[in-house]
Amino acid sequence: MTAVHYGADAVYLGGKHYSLRAKAGNFNPEKMREGINYAHQHNVKVYVTVNILAHNDDLSGLPDYLRELHDMGADGVIISDPGVLMTAREAVPDLPIHLSTQANVTNAASAAFWLSQGALRLNLARELSMQEIADISKGVSGELEVFVHGALCISYSGRCMLSNYMTGRDANQGNCAHPCRYSYALVEEKRPGQYFPVDEDERGTYIFNSKDLCLLESLPQLIAAGADSLKIEGRMKSIFYVGGVVRVYRAALDYLAGLPKEAWEKPEEITLPQEFMEELLRTGTRGITENFIKERPGSSEMNYMTSRVIQTYEPIAVVRDLDNGLLVEIRNTLFPGTEVEYMKQGVGATKVRITTFRDEEGKTLEKANPGNRVFLTTEPALEDVEVLGILRRKIADDM
């Protein structure tokens, strides 16, 4: 709902089975049907992930599950396994198939193969340069999708066995324990309990921790290269992240759509307003990298010192109702007098100060805790507020 509110054209989600986010609060059939209906009411499509690398046992029940997705009205399924793709073509031949980035499409011949097997759209591998994306686009006639923002896996397009070896949780079955985000140290056999730092050129110990992908400033070239769809990694993320990132990319695409035709004669010279990137960085990241788009990444694309960079803003509340006042659901402890910002659709934010809040019975409160639903009064009064809009506050200076 947050992604839809802030401008997504489509959302992708996982069910209780066959998804690479097995530990997430995934959708049961009732909630998935509800989510699909909600998206369709707002002219937004829904693609369901069926993207595990399947073993024999996984195939039992798969045709029935695919038929259930079809009956719910899903607009497509995202698949990486050839056997799952073949099963989908047999069980639900008219349900569109999108190839997952897990399938590692890195060249035009591979793209042509998957399109010949029935895939409608290919989510290309994340290890491609801009020129390689353009070459694939020229070589095939199917739709191409490119990941533009979110967490990067240190392995090749997500095919990682580190979690399996270290924790017994198979990332390719949706159970990744994210050991790439751990801080590592060295222990000598005869000195248990004495930990020695693992350094790479004295930069720290998070030796697998990649910065987050961010291709915002490369959108003009991506569009010119032939990308039909831009994908934001957002599952298991907060609504603050989803809303904050989606609204910036929506605003960026709308800005680019408004440029005169002659501007696209040299897409490499098109630049976005600086406020777009400034706003995007306020959602919190591990630092940002363009990964392989311009050149092969090196040590500068890793975050060795910490699992994240300092977050400068945090969510305060989500608007839930407007019938009898500004009713919000609190996300972080809040006191009267706090200055907050209302995140509009687009990149704008309205600053106000909270003067009072009261509970749903009308009692004035001295503070509000996470989960509370309270009516806010602000100075000045907030205008043009919408249900699902997010309120945030500044907690550190911008980086």
Side-chain angles (χ1 to χ4, degrees), residues 143-155:
E143 296 179 9
L144 300 182
E145 185 167 273
V146 177
F147 258 111
V148 293
H149 197 92
L152 285 172
C153 181
I154 196 64
S155 66

Side-chain angles (χ1 to χ4, degrees), residues 183-338:
S183 177
Y184 290 89
L186 179 69
V187 177
E188 196 272 325
E189 180 181 13
K190 296 181 179 179
R191 286 183 277 185
Q194 295 186 36
Y195 298 95
F196 302 91
V198 179
D199 293 329
E200 287 202 7
D201 297 331
E202 299 181 351
R203 275 181 288 250
T205 60
Y206 290 84
I207 56 176
F208 299 116
N209 190 38
S210 171
K211 293 179 180 179
D212 287 344
L213 177 67
C214 177
L215 299 185
L216 178 68
E217 294 180 339
S218 294
L219 291 191
Q221 297 97 305
L222 276 174
I223 293 169
D228 298 288
S229 176
L230 308 178
K231 192 168 187 175
I232 294 168
E233 184 265 333
R235 288 192 297 157
M236 299 183 75
K237 290 290 199 298
S238 70
I239 61 171
F240 179 60
Y241 171 93
V242 171
V245 174
V246 167
R247 77 186 190 121
V248 173
Y249 279 89
R250 172 78 279 152
L253 289 176
D254 292 345
Y255 173 85
L256 293 172
L259 293 177
K261 185 177 180 181
E262 54 268 24
W264 291 96
E265 294 175 2
K266 295 183 177 180
E268 68 279 2
E269 296 182 4
I270 298 174
T271 58
L272 295 169
Q274 184 60 33
E275 63 178 320
F276 285 40
M277 181 59 78
E278 292 173 353
E279 186 60 38
L280 189 60
L281 294 177
R282 290 168 183 154
T283 59
T285 69
R286 298 182 179 92
I288 59 172
T289 172
E290 289 195 308
N291 205 28
F292 284 78
I293 283 294
K294 294 179 179 177
E295 60 185 2
R296 286 185 173 272
S299 60
S300 62
E301 274 64 55
M302 303 298 288
N303 189 350
Y304 292 114
M305 298 302 296
T306 178
S307 63
R308 304 181 61 83
V309 298
I310 295 174
Q311 186 167 328
T312 57
Y313 284 78
E314 68 178 3
I316 287 300
V318 183
V319 179
R320 292 306 186 195
D321 194 80
L322 297 168
D323 289 342
N324 300 303
L326 179 56
L327 180 66
V328 303
E329 178 183 319
I330 300 297
R331 289 304 172 105
N332 279 291
T333 302
L334 186 62
F335 294 90
T338 303

Side-chain angles (χ1 to χ4, degrees), residues 105-132:
V105 174
T106 57
N107 59 75
S110 177
F113 167 79
W114 286 110
L115 291 170
S116 73
Q117 298 304 303
L120 173 69
R121 179 185 297 177
L122 309 179
N123 191 335
L124 299 176
R126 304 186 202 190
E127 295 78 20
L128 295 178
S129 68
M130 191 73 73
Q131 186 60 54
E132 288 175 310

Side-chain angles (χ1 to χ4, degrees), residues 28 30 34 42 186 193 277 354 373 378:
N28 62 33
E30 179 183 355
E34 182 181 333
H42 294 80
L186 179 69
M277 181 59 78
I354 295 173
R373 289 165 63 95
T378 66

Side-chain angles (χ1 to χ4, degrees), residues 166-184:
M166 295 187 67
T167 70
R169 289 170 51 178
D170 190 343
N172 298 305
Q173 289 279 302
N175 283 309
C176 185
H178 304 288
C180 56
R181 310 302 179 191
Y182 297 173
S183 177
Y184 290 89

